[in-house]
Amino acid sequence: MAIAASSACQQNAKTTSTQTTDTTKKSKYLSQPLISEIYTADPSAHVFDGKIYIYPSHDIESGTPENDNGDHFDMKDYHILSMDSINGKVKDNGVALSVKDIPWAGRQLWAPDVAFKNGTYYLYFPVKDKQDVFRIGVATAKNPVGPFKAEPKPIEGSFSIDPAVFTDTDGTAYMYYGGIWGGQLQRWNNGKYEANRSKTDSQKENEPALNAKVAMLSKNMLRFDGAVKDVVILDENGKPLLTKDHDRRFFEGAWMHKFNGKYYFTYSTGDTHFLASAIGDNPFGPFKYQGTFMNPVEGWTTHHSIIEVKGKWYIFYHDTQLSGKTHLRNVKVTQLTHNADGTIALIEPMKK
Ligand code: FUB
């Protein structure tokens, strides 16, 4: 009995100390994971019919070794999350689209986004084709959580990763996309793919940085309408940001939102792990660099979306709180504030 009592005591002490460690660990973070049953990342959030839907990547441990191309981000399907309110219960709506059901796909289903028009939901997704080149595809559904059916081919003229679709107040939709390094943007030269271009070949330090891309979408939402353009980000002197400006130049994870009639292009600086904003007067830009609005999260990648819910603005983002591993991430949400001067207030994802 005595032994049992002592052992129970030790067990209690152990539980209490684990709980204390967990609580201390949790309290380091500005916000907590929205779900912990599966790993999720790259959250593109939207409000449809008053309900919040999150379209994330579904991170898994596939066993693919880690490398600079991001091969360990070896995702195979999408699960869409939904919630009635920002602090409400989060529902995982199950598999909405699988890589095996996309006729042209090879591997790596990365960060998606969605748009709604005339009763149809359009899911835009980047995946490597059978030649291992990232392209952007589209799948449709009548329900915001799917299941989605993929079009037989990728969007003509599309390449690279991280599509973010913004529908302006006049109903015109635009896709922002692109990502350097593993996202292959640097391999595209005048519309041609050069597989052997390394992540730095095309990026001379004193030359203008590579830009994200923007294309208007056709009325049926399945094609690009017109030329793909560069999303140019200008510095305080009206000059394009340079490649060497790693703290400010575009890397991946584009998003667009409109606030007070201005167009906010927000993005990840990648290897320096910031979220940055640049403001323009129209969807094509140019955009003037404004600053960092979120400091680095735990984990290498930084990817976000910004939406308005009932008059307040929120940022959805991810970190690696649950796993401590770069490729097994968890999505989160916190409030975002536009300052009186139009800039976005700095968010600190880790408490000091
Ligand atoms: O999830 C895979 C990639 O990691 C995304 O496409 C990037 O934005 C980064 O978050």
Side-chain angles (χ1 to χ4, degrees), residues 143-187:
N143 186 311
V145 297
F148 284 86
K149 183 166 173 32
E151 291 291 299
K153 289 186 176 165
I155 295 176
E156 198 181 336
S158 72
F159 53 90
S160 197
I161 59 165
D162 291 357
V165 174
F166 163 74
T167 304
D168 206 348
T169 27
D170 67 358
T172 311
Y174 302 84
M175 182 188 289
Y176 297 84
Y177 67 93
I180 60 176
W181 295 21
Q184 302 181 341
L185 188 63
Q186 71 284 352
R187 294 187 183 174

Side-chain angles (χ1 to χ4, degrees), residues 42-271:
D42 310 323
S44 290
H46 292 269
V47 177
F48 296 125
D49 281 335
K51 198 165 165 172
I52 302 160
Y53 294 90
I54 307 163
Y55 298 80
S57 299
H58 175 200
D59 286 353
I60 51 163
E61 183 55 88
S62 75
T64 309
E66 181 165 342
N67 62 19
D68 266 4
N69 282 336
D71 283 355
H72 49 307
F73 293 97
D74 194 10
M75 296 84 104
K76 301 197 188 305
D77 63 23
Y78 294 123
H79 284 223
I80 294 156
L81 312 179
S82 55
M83 55 212 278
D84 289 329
S85 62
I86 285 293
N87 294 313
K89 196 166 176 288
V90 179
K91 181 175 177 198
D92 171 359
N93 293 281
V95 177
L97 180 67
S98 284
V99 76
K100 63 178 171 36
D101 296 324
I102 303 166
W104 53 272
R107 60 180 181 139
Q108 296 183 281
L109 212 42
W110 282 15
D113 192 18
V114 78
F116 173 72
K117 188 172 179 181
N118 295 340
T120 300
Y121 294 87
Y122 297 85
L123 180 71
Y124 299 93
F125 56 88
V127 69
K128 284 180 180 163
D129 65 14
K130 297 192 195 300
Q131 287 72 46
D132 235 22
V133 178
F134 266 118
R135 304 275 182 185
I136 297 170
V138 56
T140 56
K142 290 291 173 193
N143 186 311
V145 297
F148 284 86
K149 183 166 173 32
E151 291 291 299
K153 289 186 176 165
I155 295 176
E156 198 181 336
S158 72
F159 53 90
S160 197
I161 59 165
D162 291 357
V165 174
F166 163 74
T167 304
D168 206 348
T169 27
D170 67 358
T172 311
Y174 302 84
M175 182 188 289
Y176 297 84
Y177 67 93
I180 60 176
W181 295 21
Q184 302 181 341
L185 188 63
Q186 71 284 352
R187 294 187 183 174
W188 287 90
N189 193 17
N190 291 328
K192 286 214 180 94
Y193 181 75
E194 296 172 16
N196 295 328
R197 278 191 154 204
S198 80
K199 65 187 184 191
T200 46
D201 269 359
S202 55
Q203 295 177 268
K204 305 276 174 285
E205 291 291 303
N206 285 312
E207 288 178 4
L210 285 177
N211 294 308
K213 305 291 172 191
V214 54
M216 198 185 279
L217 289 177
S218 61
K219 290 213 168 18
N220 69 5
M221 302 294 273
L222 301 175
R223 291 183 288 103
F224 290 163
D225 190 0
V228 171
K229 297 185 179 177
D230 278 352
V231 179
V232 177
I233 305 172
L234 303 175
D235 67 11
E236 58 285 3
N237 300 312
K239 297 264 166 31
L241 294 181
L242 301 181
T243 299
K244 66 181 176 190
D245 200 347
H246 294 251
D247 282 354
R248 302 197 297 173
R249 61 91 176 89
F250 170 81
F251 188 102
E252 64 185 359
W255 189 257
M256 171 61 64
H257 76 278
K258 195 174 181 180
F259 178 75
N260 274 352
K262 297 281 184 195
Y263 295 80
Y264 286 69
F265 178 72
T266 48
Y267 58 96
S268 166
T269 63
D271 57 344

Side-chain angles (χ1 to χ4, degrees), residues 258-303:
K258 195 174 181 180
F259 178 75
N260 274 352
K262 297 281 184 195
Y263 295 80
Y264 286 69
F265 178 72
T266 48
Y267 58 96
S268 166
T269 63
D271 57 344
T272 51
H273 318 290
F274 296 113
L275 287 180
S277 70
I279 301 178
D281 293 322
N282 71 75
F284 289 118
F287 299 90
K288 187 170 175 202
Y289 178 81
Q290 295 299 315
T292 293
F293 70 94
M294 191 180 232
N295 272 331
V297 295
E298 213 173 67
W300 200 94
T301 64
T302 309
H303 192 117

